[in-house]
Amino acid sequence: MSEPATLSVALQDETATAQLMADLALLIGPGDTITLTGDLGAGKTAAARSLIRYLAGDDGLEVPSPTFTLVQGYELPAFPVMHADLYRVEDEGELEEIGLSPLPDATLVLIEWPERAPSAMPEDRIDIALTHRPELGSTARAADITGYGKSAATIARLKSLREFLDASGYLDAGRRRMAGDASTRSYARLFRDDGIVILMNSPQRPDGAAIYNGKSYSAAVHLAENIKPFVAIDEGLRAQGISAPKIHHVDLDHGFLISEDFGSEGVVEGNPPRPIPERYEAATDVLAMLHGRSLPETLPLDGQTYTIPAFDTEALLIEIGLMPEWYLPDRNAPLSEAKRAEFFAMWRELLKKPLAAPKTWIIRDYHSPNLIWLADRTGIERVGVIDFQDTVLGPRSYDVVSLLQDARIDVPEALELTLLSRYIKARRTEDASFDPAGFAELYAIMSAQRNTRLLGTFARLNRRDGKPHYLRHQPRIWTYLQRSLAHPALEPLRDWYLANVPPPQS
């Protein structure tokens, strides 16, 4: 077991306590356990309350002390939280009655008075010991934070984060949680008198075990495993006149970054959300402009060079392999070895055309959650782009598919075709040799590739990562997939899917 990691923090008042707990919240998740120790009145419940309110995004959330109820549960947007107080527990056997033995899965557990049941506490945990500091003021406390087992790395990272915030001048800023994405990154808005910025926490971490020829999934398909690609691509996009957020402070070694805040005005409206045509037109124009340029394959990064990876055949095949690996078993339709070989052989042949096409930067998740509308700017600069660290070199059709077949909202087929025509017209205006029919075929192929992958990705997010809300997107993905399979060039693939791939549950 790794050595414990410790961090001591002086807390002048409850605001400082809330800031510390917000920083910790950025680094923890479901399955973690935090114990809070200290005398009566030391501030254990206040600390737990600050953490719960931060995760809830509600400073006024009622968070009573669980002294009498023993356990209080919260279903929060990110994950469930259980807040327990063991002060009245006299025997460890009582923990089973209140749902703490064993500890619940996929839940963040906060435990006050853990010393009442020491042998029941997990080896991997964070302990926050709170003590009065009357010499600093009536509300002053000291927090001695210790990470045990696997949680030692979390406290070491908390120390680095606090040092980064201090060096950047944001240690005393207000914090507000931002919803994360499907990755291991997390975000917060930081508030000072001079404005609002965004803090990104991007830990060095592969996505999955090394099961793809000795590589993790993220390494095999060229997903960013640290913050460096984000920084390099950000500057590259800004150099092309695209509105990527300005980076104010960065710690490349630890993966922390403070950047411009574009706000939250998106390119969709209504409930359920639907595209705002004018904004989708501008987003389409961004791609047409970018794809008409000769772009570098390497970018400067902190005095060195960052090489944009190529979206090669193996990466594309591993992506679509998520469909038979995760989606088909969920639909009780696993493939035989012969059928699997047939599937990959068909795709290997089909991908030859897009991979032989001219390459550009593929931003990869160029769709509504990652596009911010900047109404005070003009032209293509009105489209703020915020998620691009996974950029690769590949066929121009890929990002057009990402936008016009948005995985998270319904794009009507009529609007998709209108925007596709707008893109083609813009490209032909700049390049008389641009081939609309050839592009339409590449669009259909990359649509089939992307939507096949997404069926598997959303199944994996549900089963492996405990994120069932992604399953609601599968019927939409299926609809997009049927559109692309209707292209004549994909007829053999369409017949194969018809025979072997059942639709998702609606």
Side-chain angles (χ1 to χ4, degrees):
M1 182 179 292
S2 59
E3 287 293 312
T6 60
L7 171 64
S8 296
V9 181
L11 303 171
Q12 193 72 32
D13 49 30
E14 285 201 7
T15 298
T17 299
Q19 289 164 342
L20 172 65
M21 300 310 286
D23 295 341
L24 179 59
L26 206 65
L27 310 179
I28 57 176
D32 288 332
T33 298
I34 299 174
T35 55
L36 297 120
T37 57
D39 296 336
L40 284 168
K44 299 184 294 297
T45 299
R49 182 178 294 120
S50 293
L51 181 60
I52 292 167
R53 285 177 171 173
Y54 176 83
L55 290 171
D58 182 357
D59 293 338
L61 180 69
E62 187 70 24
V63 183
S65 168
T67 300
F68 296 103
T69 59
L70 299 185
V71 172
Q72 195 79 27
Y74 301 88
E75 288 295 328
L76 301 185
F79 45 78
V81 174
M82 180 180 283
H83 181 197
D85 185 326
L86 307 186
Y87 185 70
R88 295 170 56 233
V89 169
E90 296 181 1
D91 184 273
E92 290 191 4
E94 296 176 43
L95 297 189
E96 187 173 352
E97 298 174 25
I98 62 175
L100 286 179
S101 182
L103 291 172
D105 292 330
T107 300
L108 173 66
V109 182
L110 311 176
I111 303 175
E112 299 184 40
W113 299 98
E115 58 268 36
R116 299 285 189 179
S119 65
M121 296 302 107
E123 291 183 349
D124 302 318
R125 72 185 188 283
I126 294 167
D127 182 73
I128 303 176
L130 292 157
T131 52
H132 292 277
R133 282 292 186 268
E135 68 276 13
L136 300 178
S138 60
T139 60
R141 304 283 188 271
D144 294 304
I145 311 167
T146 306
Y148 296 97
K150 293 178 181 177
S151 296
T154 302
I155 301 312
R157 187 160 184 79
L158 177 63
K159 182 174 185 292
S160 298
L161 171 59
R162 301 273 297 179
E163 290 171 349
F164 171 69
L165 290 170
D166 191 22
S168 303
Y170 282 91
L171 190 59
D172 294 328
R175 276 84 153 161
R176 185 163 299 153
R177 181 181 177 273
M178 294 178 67
D181 50 24
S183 74
T184 58
R185 294 179 293 276
S186 56
Y187 305 86
R189 280 194 164 94
L190 304 179
F191 296 79
R192 281 192 326 198
D193 290 342
D194 59 351
I196 306 171
V197 293
I198 289 179
L199 168 66
M200 178 196 292
N201 163 52
S202 181
Q204 173 85 33
R205 192 177 302 171
D207 180 12
I211 58 175
Y212 298 95
N213 296 321
K215 296 180 179 179
S216 66
Y217 176 79
S218 51
V221 303
H222 313 302
L223 299 179
E225 294 186 346
N226 56 50
I227 208 165
K228 294 177 181 179
F230 181 95
V231 176
I233 300 297
D234 181 277
E235 294 301 328
L237 290 172
R238 286 169 57 82
Q240 296 297 327
I242 291 175
S243 292
K246 183 178 181 181
I247 295 172
H248 301 304
H249 306 277
V250 66
D251 181 341
L252 290 175
D253 293 332
H254 292 103
F256 299 121
L257 177 151
I258 291 173
S259 72
E260 177 182 11
D261 180 12
F262 281 159
S264 55
E265 187 174 354
V267 296
V268 299
E269 64 182 357
N271 187 23
R274 57 188 183 275
I276 301 173
E278 175 203 7
R279 299 181 183 185
Y280 265 66
E281 288 170 1
T284 302
D285 294 344
V286 171
L287 293 180
M289 179 278 293
L290 193 65
H291 296 170
R293 294 185 177 177
S294 177
L295 300 171
E297 298 185 3
T298 61
L299 294 166
L301 176 65
D302 194 32
Q304 301 179 27
T305 297
Y306 173 73
T307 301
I308 302 174
F311 216 4
D312 51 43
T313 304
E314 294 311 310
L316 289 161
L317 290 176
I318 287 171
E319 281 197 340
I320 61 171
L322 293 179
M323 194 271 287
E325 184 179 353
W326 294 93
Y327 174 78
L328 289 183
D330 281 359
R331 303 300 296 121
N332 297 314
L335 296 180
S336 66
E337 282 304 311
K339 286 292 182 184
R340 279 183 62 87
E342 201 172 79
F343 173 77
F344 285 108
M346 291 177 70
W347 268 111
R348 191 176 290 275
E349 185 63 30
L350 199 57
L351 289 170
K352 286 180 178 178
K353 272 190 180 179
L355 288 173
K359 290 179 171 50
T360 189
W361 296 354
I362 298 179
I363 297 172
R364 221 160 171 177
D365 280 324
Y366 189 82
H367 55 186
S368 61
N370 301 325
L371 301 175
I372 307 297
W373 188 249
L374 306 173
D376 58 338
R377 304 188 187 186
T378 59
I380 63 168
E381 291 183 2
R382 294 175 296 171
V383 180
V385 186
I386 61 170
D387 188 327
F388 39 73
Q389 60 282 328
D390 298 328
T391 295
V392 288
L393 299 172
R396 294 169 174 135
S397 54
Y398 190 93
D399 277 347
V400 185
V401 171
S402 299
L403 177 66
L404 306 191
Q405 294 189 340
D406 194 311
R408 286 166 175 78
I409 68 160
D410 293 327
V411 179
E413 189 169 13
L415 178 59
E416 177 189 357
L417 293 174
T418 297
L419 294 170
L420 183 58
S421 297
R422 181 185 183 92
Y423 173 88
I424 289 172
K425 182 179 179 181
R427 293 297 316 282
R428 289 193 73 184
T429 300
E430 293 297 320
D431 179 4
S433 66
F434 181 82
D435 176 11
F439 184 82
E441 181 179 346
L442 298 183
Y443 180 91
I445 294 171
M446 295 318 296
S447 164
Q449 189 276 341
R450 179 174 170 80
N451 289 306
T452 296
R453 189 264 294 178
L454 285 171
L455 285 177
T457 298
F458 292 157
R460 184 177 68 167
L461 282 167
N462 170 51
R463 189 143 43 96
R464 188 194 73 176
D465 301 334
K467 297 178 178 180
H469 56 283
Y470 282 94
L471 294 181
R472 72 177 187 267
H473 300 307
Q474 284 185 334
R476 176 183 305 112
I477 298 306
W478 183 260
T479 298
Y480 292 148
L481 181 59
Q482 300 316 301
R483 288 183 198 172
S484 59
L485 290 175
H487 193 283
L490 276 67
E491 184 177 355
L493 191 69
R494 179 173 70 249
D495 293 343
W496 192 94
Y497 275 49
L498 188 63
N500 297 287
V501 184
Q505 292 178 310
S506 57

